[in-house]
Amino acid sequence: NSVAQVDRAFVIALSRPPTADERDVCVRTFQGTVPAADRNSKTLSNGPSPQLITLCRALVNSAAFLFVD
């Protein structure tokens, strides 16, 4: 379920659930695209999908990780 994966990724990475807008954008992207670099790669049946990997990379590269207080 992509909604549950998006919610879980946000909680793990940002310690908060996504807003409704964040969830909507992530789920639509998650369901509709496969990054060009991952189109030809094989994923193990029990491994994460290329979309989930891309979402996690985007979360780690978000503004929340730019500055340390």
Side-chain angles (χ1 to χ4, degrees):
N1 175 325
S2 59
V3 173
Q5 288 180 321
V6 168
D7 288 350
R8 184 75 176 138
F10 265 80
V11 170
I12 290 171
L14 304 176
S15 298
R16 66 170 179 83
T19 64
D21 288 338
E22 289 170 335
R23 182 181 293 117
D24 183 51
V25 169
C26 290
V27 168
R28 281 189 288 128
T29 301
F30 194 91
Q31 292 174 340
T33 63
V34 176
D38 294 324
R39 284 190 188 128
N40 296 320
S41 66
K42 294 182 180 178
T43 305
L44 297 174
S45 61
N46 62 347
S49 69
Q51 295 91 336
L52 181 58
I53 292 169
T54 300
L55 172 62
C56 292
R57 286 178 182 161
L59 291 173
V60 170
N61 287 313
S62 68
F65 291 96
L66 289 180
F67 302 102
V68 177
D69 289 334

